[in-house]
Amino acid sequence: MIKAFLVCLLSFLSSALVCFLIIRCGILRSLAHDPVGGGPQKFHFHPVPRAGGIGVMAGLLFPAFYFYNTPYIADYLLVLLCSLPAFVGGLVEDFTKKAGVKTRLVLTMLSGGMGVFLPGASINRIDIPFIDNYLLSLFPISLAFTMFAVGGVANSINIIDGFNGIAGGVSLIILLALGYVSFLVEDPFLMILSFIVCFSILGFLLWNYPAGKIFLGDGGVYLLGFLIAEISVLLVNRNQEVSPWFPMLLVTYPVTETLFSIYRRKYLRGISPGVPDGVHLHTLIYKRLVRWGIDSEDARYKTIRNSLTAPYLWGLTLLTALPAIAFWRNTLILIAFLVAFVLLYIWLYWKIVRFKPPRCLIIK
């Protein structure tokens, strides 16, 4: 346990140090940064480097020394290898702005496909007999479903990445839950892998929240999204007692946000699902619930207001993570909580968009 703690500490220090160097490095800051404003989803007030994913990846690479001379080294390196298409595709967008949404989605699905063939992370069951026995039992269908699911989860983390601390904090909560259940089922590899990613996120959050000195960027969010999906699939595959609806419930918030965004853009607004807009749930929370310092022109107050948005979404994620942890074996209860959360999300979005939010949620 002491060795495991030390490797997690190494992950934290590596991530924090690399993020600090990126913040201080003028070249990286100029090549990969978000300008002030910059579109309907930009709410920061000074240029910020969006290369935090490099720090997160550094926090994953250095702990590889821990797995040396252990039975887990091959699986650990294979997971990192599979993450590269998703990570590199995101980095290309961060540095060049020329990797479109479809390109990044395809590369993330490629990472999911590599995960099927290398560490064996394929979705073979969702505890629905007809689908499990007649569809997912066929390798081509299982492969396609796994690639689609991994790409979808990774893209969902990208969708919620709008304010300081949201994507990092939500990913941290999900990975802590995955690590805890890995501990319960005595799967040390997935437990340590989950906690290593958690500490790497903490190293990034040290600079991202609340000050917003660095962002994850597309490289970071696609990396975290892939790792969440990959650990989820491996956990269910390697441990039959874990319901496949346990990780599904964990990612319900970002996935619901993604599906609702597609529906809103395509069917309500008549635009392409890939076109950014400014009416995500986190954006509405920022504009209509976080009213503290709303009239101030001081950049410090604006940054604080930006950071006050994240706890709302952490709370939403806990609403799925806590019951998921409590009922990780019970498929029916997990499905019931998933449906209940989707209804809650729709109700909350409808109330806020119609300027009728619950008063207890407003920060004045």
Side-chain angles (χ1 to χ4, degrees):
M1 289 300 294
I2 294 177
K3 190 175 182 180
F5 172 76
L6 290 177
V7 75
C8 288
L9 181 61
L10 174 62
S11 178
F12 169 79
L13 294 174
S14 302
S15 176
L17 177 60
V18 171
C19 285
F20 171 75
L21 294 176
I22 292 171
I23 294 169
R24 302 293 294 180
C25 178
I27 296 177
L28 280 176
R29 196 164 59 241
S30 61
L31 288 178
H33 76 277
D34 266 349
V36 177
Q41 297 177 341
K42 308 299 183 184
F43 293 92
H44 50 282
F45 310 99
H46 50 82
V48 179
R50 45 182 289 120
I54 297 175
V56 175
M57 177 58 85
L60 302 178
L61 289 175
F62 285 101
F65 295 106
Y66 166 79
F67 290 108
Y68 190 72
N69 289 332
T70 74
Y72 311 125
I73 181 62
D75 285 339
Y76 187 77
L77 293 178
L78 286 176
V79 169
L80 292 186
L81 177 63
C82 292
S83 73
L84 289 181
F87 175 61
V88 172
L91 279 186
V92 171
E93 171 64 13
D94 292 329
F95 282 88
T96 69
K97 311 297 183 186
K98 294 182 179 180
V101 174
K102 291 182 180 179
T103 300
R104 284 173 275 147
L105 181 59
V106 168
L107 287 172
T108 308
M109 293 175 66
L110 174 61
S111 286
M114 291 173 61
V116 172
F117 291 100
L118 297 179
S122 62
I123 299 176
N124 301 314
R125 63 184 178 97
I126 58 171
D127 283 4
I128 298 177
F130 174 79
I131 295 177
D132 290 355
N133 296 333
Y134 296 101
L135 295 178
L136 293 180
S137 60
L138 303 174
F139 177 75
I141 294 179
S142 174
L143 172 63
F145 187 76
T146 302
M147 293 174 66
F148 177 80
V150 171
V153 170
N155 191 64
S156 73
I157 301 300
N158 182 45
I159 289 290
I160 66 170
D161 184 32
F163 294 90
N164 300 343
I166 294 182
V170 169
S171 298
L172 180 64
I173 293 170
I174 293 172
L175 286 159
L176 284 172
L178 290 170
Y180 176 68
V181 171
S182 299
F183 166 75
L184 293 180
V185 298
E186 299 181 352
D187 192 325
F189 168 66
L190 292 182
M191 179 189 71
I192 296 172
L193 174 58
S194 298
F195 291 148
I196 284 175
V197 182
C198 287
F199 274 81
S200 188
I201 294 172
L202 287 173
F204 159 77
L205 286 175
L206 180 67
W207 304 105
N208 171 258
Y209 191 84
K213 294 183 179 297
I214 189 171
F215 297 154
L216 275 172
D218 288 283
V221 293
Y222 281 105
L223 173 62
L224 291 181
F226 168 77
L227 290 171
I228 288 171
E230 194 76 355
I231 293 171
S232 298
V233 175
L234 287 170
L235 179 62
V236 173
N237 258 12
R238 293 158 58 113
N239 304 278
Q240 293 298 308
E241 64 269 39
V242 179
S243 169
W245 292 85
F246 162 68
M248 289 184 195
L249 181 57
L250 287 177
V251 298
T252 299
Y253 158 57
V255 170
T256 301
E257 177 72 35
T258 301
L259 295 177
F260 189 75
S261 297
I262 293 172
Y263 168 77
R264 180 183 68 245
R265 293 168 182 171
K266 185 174 180 62
Y267 297 103
L268 298 184
R269 306 188 65 194
I271 62 176
S272 170
V275 175
D277 61 19
V279 284
H280 290 297
L281 178 61
H282 54 261
T283 308
L284 293 176
I285 288 173
Y286 172 79
K287 290 180 176 179
R288 301 182 183 180
L289 297 186
V290 184
R291 300 178 183 176
W292 182 90
I294 193 170
D295 297 322
S296 175
E297 295 300 322
D298 191 322
R300 293 171 299 178
Y301 286 90
K302 291 181 178 181
T303 299
I304 293 172
R305 182 168 171 245
N306 179 313
S307 299
L308 287 173
T309 305
Y312 286 93
L313 290 316
W314 299 343
L316 278 181
T317 306
L318 286 172
L319 288 179
T320 60
L322 294 178
I325 291 171
F327 302 103
W328 56 274
R329 298 172 183 262
N330 196 311
T331 292
L332 290 179
I333 294 179
L334 292 170
I335 293 175
F337 273 105
L338 187 151
V339 172
F341 178 86
V342 172
L343 294 175
L344 172 65
Y345 175 96
I346 295 172
W347 172 82
L348 182 61
Y349 189 97
W350 181 254
K351 296 290 285 187
I352 297 175
V353 81
R354 292 180 64 85
F355 295 94
K356 297 180 180 179
R359 293 187 177 182
C360 61
L361 296 180
I362 298 174
I363 301 177
K364 294 184 178 180

